[in-house]
Amino acid sequence: MTLRFDGLVIVPAADPDDGERTARALAPRLSESSTAVVVHVVEKAGGGIDKAPMEAREDVADDIFERTRGPLESAGATVETDVLYGTDVVETIFDGARERHADAVAFVPREGNRIAELLTGDVARRMVKEASVPVVVLPQVE
């Protein structure tokens, strides 16, 4: 059985490699009636000093969108992009998904070790545990 998305799916991407990896894994599951919305969250410091200049962070988003568009469009899907801003990446993704009435959020988890997960918080784990819309964790594609 092959899982297919015929509606609107949110595709969060942390960086260009992450976005391209997810787009390649998702593309075979899309159709011409699919809409993939690639989102990148610019994490705000919530009153503190931001991690990087806004222009640099928006440039990263542009790189993500450029690298994800090709694989997704090759499936015949409609592709949209959106930069989201928030203090919590997971909450921001789900807020965006609910606002767009998304059918699902789909992503490929990034590789990481337990120490990094403990220090940074495991976004992939939170995406599954705190889901407010269906979440699909896609396998890595070579």
Side-chain angles (χ1 to χ4, degrees):
M1 176 176 161
T2 301
L3 177 66
R4 300 208 41 96
F5 296 95
D6 293 322
L8 191 142
V9 60
I10 300 294
V11 184
D15 60 53
D17 290 339
D18 180 42
E20 186 173 3
R21 192 172 34 253
T22 299
R24 290 190 187 288
L26 180 61
R29 294 167 169 79
L30 298 176
S31 68
E32 291 180 1
S33 62
S34 305
T35 299
V37 181
V38 181
V39 300
H40 175 67
V41 177
V42 173
E43 193 174 5
K44 301 294 290 169
I49 298 172
D50 286 332
K51 295 177 181 178
M54 189 59 63
E55 185 176 312
R57 297 166 95 193
E58 290 172 345
D59 287 345
V60 169
D62 289 341
D63 290 344
I64 291 168
F65 301 152
E66 184 178 320
R67 287 184 52 190
T68 56
R69 188 171 292 283
L72 297 172
E73 286 178 343
S74 71
T78 300
V79 179
E80 299 175 9
T81 60
D82 199 2
V83 178
L84 305 176
Y85 301 87
T87 56
D88 184 289
V89 172
V90 174
E91 286 179 16
T92 303
I93 290 168
F94 286 124
D95 287 346
R98 284 189 302 274
E99 286 173 15
R100 288 182 172 262
H101 305 287
D103 296 300
V105 172
F107 70 98
V108 173
R110 294 190 297 167
E111 293 181 17
N113 62 42
R114 291 300 295 155
I115 293 173
E117 289 175 8
L118 290 171
L119 294 174
T120 63
D122 185 2
V123 172
R125 179 174 288 124
R126 286 189 57 215
M127 291 284 293
V128 173
K129 290 181 78 167
E130 299 174 23
S132 58
V133 298
V135 173
V136 178
V137 179
L138 299 166
Q140 299 247 357
V141 175
E142 296 296 321

